[in-house]
Amino acid sequence: MTTSRASSAARAATPSPRSVVQRLVSCRWRKTSHPINPVTPSALLQEAMKTHAPEGPILAIHSVVVAPAYRRKGLAARALRWYRDEHAFSGGVRSIKLIAKAELLALYVSAGFRVDGPSAIQHGKDAWFDCSAEGLEMVQLDAFPPAGAFSGNPAAVVFSHRSDDWMAKVANENNLSESAFLSRLGPSKYAIRWWTPGREVDLCGHATLAAAAALFETRRVADDAVLEFETRRAGSLRVSKVRNGGDDDGTAPWLSMDFPTGPLTEVPRDEIPAAMLRAVGIQENGPVSLAFAGKGPPSVPDVFIHLEGVEDLASAPVDIGVLATNDLVDRGVIVTCASKRPGVDFESRFFAPKYGVQEDPVTGSAHTLLTAYWESVLGTNGERPLVAHQASKRGGKLRVRTEGDRTIIQGQAAFVFDARLFAHPDDL
């Protein structure tokens, strides 16, 4: 039997579940009525309760005890979600199960468990119900949507880290521009990693926004939390809900991300291959001209091209094939111009065919380069937020500004669906 204990003394105004969940008791079982699978619920058996099988595929939760002063505040459900995230697919676990009385079913459902039906286990006079949670939870959200769900940039969020090979395969299966994988380090602190369908990347803005929105939406963190994401190569990223003027359209709360500003290094025109200039619409004696070209730092190693004379950036032809084979391109290509849209300061598009992304719908990380550049061009110098539009087919809306050596990127996220991953890492 495994027992997880923490202090029952809660000192913070909004305590974490770990500080007030006095006891969460579990053990490993081996037997169910039939093999575990995600379609047909497997019932717990009375004899299973008699034997603790350390290597068994079932992790059975016996009890969750919350300090009396902190009950009915959502802390037990949050602790259960954390527990599931940590132990699902870990050490041979295939299913997490428990039995509950009718009055507690709402709690377990809110923590992501499924009610499988009346339990065969007799435990006193009351009726009990089998509940289970198979697989790892994964959600999909649309980040920076200009028009709610089905616009902006889709991102998947998985609330756990597993092997690199497994995470890469999940990202490839999702076939989205990014999938984010989280590993909890503390009540409001997570390690984050990002994968495209082709490879891992060092920084991704829209999937970070989606990850933060997912943590708030699923109540894994308190509503007033300041989230901190630890990255492998881009330092620490902070995300919080916007408290003043955020819900200006009433659709979803705005989130504010604090990212490092990426310094741009100018690239002389004669160092840019003529084929790349033609690929983004610059023709000799044509209406479109090059205003500036640059390159981002190692964490955002994108080619940056500011065009002048563009009538409509969204419909401007771009030769993806040339960008995919050009040696100057490490990650992607940002193409930007001043906006003719009312209330919008600048527009951009982003292409990363070398990473398996032909055109990214919305690219938060690119705005760590775009923001400081356009503040300089427009002369605002961080005195007001700039409104940015990403001119992809799905579109994207962002509010951006710099603060010292940081870039503040604000946006919304629309929750699209909640799913479970059943492909176990041990089966690869």
Side-chain angles (χ1 to χ4, degrees):
M1 180 172 290
T2 303
T3 305
S4 173
R5 293 179 179 268
S7 170
S8 61
R11 300 178 182 177
T14 54
S16 72
R18 181 161 292 182
S19 67
V20 297
V21 175
Q22 295 176 310
R23 187 169 66 252
L24 195 157
V25 182
S26 64
C27 74
R28 296 285 286 273
W29 290 350
R30 191 174 299 282
K31 293 184 178 180
T32 58
S33 58
H34 54 269
I36 298 166
N37 67 74
V39 178
T40 306
S42 52
L44 293 171
L45 302 177
Q46 188 79 30
E47 58 266 29
M49 298 184 69
K50 301 176 182 179
T51 305
H52 171 51
E55 304 301 323
I58 305 163
L59 179 62
I61 296 177
H62 284 241
S63 60
V64 182
V65 181
V66 177
Y70 297 101
R71 292 174 185 171
R72 301 188 182 280
K73 298 181 184 294
L75 297 172
R78 198 177 304 161
L80 282 164
R81 282 191 178 273
W82 288 351
Y83 193 76
R84 283 179 44 226
D85 294 344
E86 183 173 350
H87 292 287
F89 284 3
S90 177
V93 172
R94 297 280 175 159
S95 180
I96 301 176
K97 293 184 177 292
L98 56 86
I99 60 172
K101 295 180 181 180
E103 60 265 29
L104 291 177
L105 292 179
L107 163 67
Y108 291 111
V109 169
S110 72
F113 284 80
R114 176 186 66 204
V115 179
D116 295 330
S119 179
I121 294 176
Q122 300 298 315
H123 195 56
K125 296 181 180 180
D126 295 322
W128 293 77
F129 295 83
D130 284 347
C131 300
S132 62
E134 280 90 22
L136 278 171
E137 186 176 9
M138 180 178 72
V139 298
Q140 184 171 315
L141 302 92
D142 290 334
F144 302 114
F150 310 116
S151 65
N153 200 351
V157 180
V158 180
F159 299 99
S160 186
H161 286 178
R162 292 297 182 261
S163 71
D164 286 11
D165 184 47
W166 182 83
M167 290 189 283
K169 282 181 166 62
V170 170
N172 183 264
E173 183 78 9
N174 289 337
N175 199 30
L176 300 172
S177 57
E178 302 284 349
S179 294
F181 297 84
L182 305 177
S183 179
R184 182 178 171 274
L185 303 175
S188 302
K189 188 174 184 178
Y190 284 78
I192 186 168
R193 296 174 69 179
W194 309 274
W195 260 268
T196 73
R199 66 178 76 183
E200 186 174 9
V201 297
D202 292 342
L203 180 66
C204 178
H206 87 275
T208 303
L209 186 86
L215 290 170
F216 284 120
E217 181 73 21
T218 61
R219 299 184 179 179
R220 282 174 166 83
V221 297
D223 197 54
D224 59 353
V226 177
L227 287 168
E228 185 176 357
F229 292 109
E230 291 295 331
T231 73
R232 303 180 85 188
R233 299 180 182 90
S236 179
L237 312 175
R238 294 182 296 276
V239 186
S240 60
K241 287 189 175 181
V242 177
R243 297 299 163 190
N244 297 311
D247 294 295
D248 55 3
D249 60 2
T251 57
W254 283 73
L255 301 179
S256 182
M257 303 192 296
D258 182 337
F259 277 28
T261 297
L264 266 175
T265 301
E266 185 172 4
V267 177
R269 181 184 177 117
D270 59 8
E271 293 183 14
I272 303 174
M276 173 174 280
L277 295 176
R278 290 193 297 271
V280 297
I282 300 174
Q283 303 289 340
E284 189 174 354
N285 300 320
V288 178
S289 62
L290 177 67
F292 175 85
K295 190 83 177 284
S299 61
V300 194
D302 301 321
V303 176
F304 185 103
I305 297 176
H306 174 193
L307 299 178
E308 288 184 336
V310 179
E311 285 297 320
D312 180 18
L313 185 62
S315 61
V318 175
D319 191 330
I320 301 293
V322 171
L323 303 185
T325 57
N326 195 282
D327 292 339
L328 186 62
V329 179
D330 293 324
R331 184 180 83 146
V333 178
I334 303 166
V335 180
T336 185
C337 67
S339 181
K340 297 180 179 179
R341 295 170 177 263
V344 178
D345 292 291
F346 67 89
E347 301 184 16
S348 65
R349 292 173 70 183
F350 183 84
F351 309 92
K354 288 187 176 182
Y355 276 61
V357 180
Q358 298 295 296
E359 180 172 3
D360 199 25
V362 197
T363 317
S365 61
H367 287 77
T368 64
L369 304 178
L370 286 159
T371 302
Y373 176 80
W374 278 106
E375 284 182 346
S376 177
V377 170
L378 299 174
T380 62
N381 299 316
E383 295 176 0
R384 67 170 178 86
L386 300 182
V387 178
H389 172 72
Q390 192 142 337
S392 63
K393 288 183 179 180
R394 292 175 62 99
K397 180 181 179 181
L398 310 88
R399 296 193 302 227
V400 296
R401 59 185 170 84
T402 59
E403 284 187 359
D405 62 353
R406 309 290 292 184
T407 297
I408 308 302
I409 302 172
Q410 295 182 349
Q412 297 168 291
F415 202 98
V416 179
F417 65 74
D418 189 336
R420 295 289 177 86
L421 287 164
F422 296 114
H424 198 286
D426 291 350
D427 296 335
L428 294 180

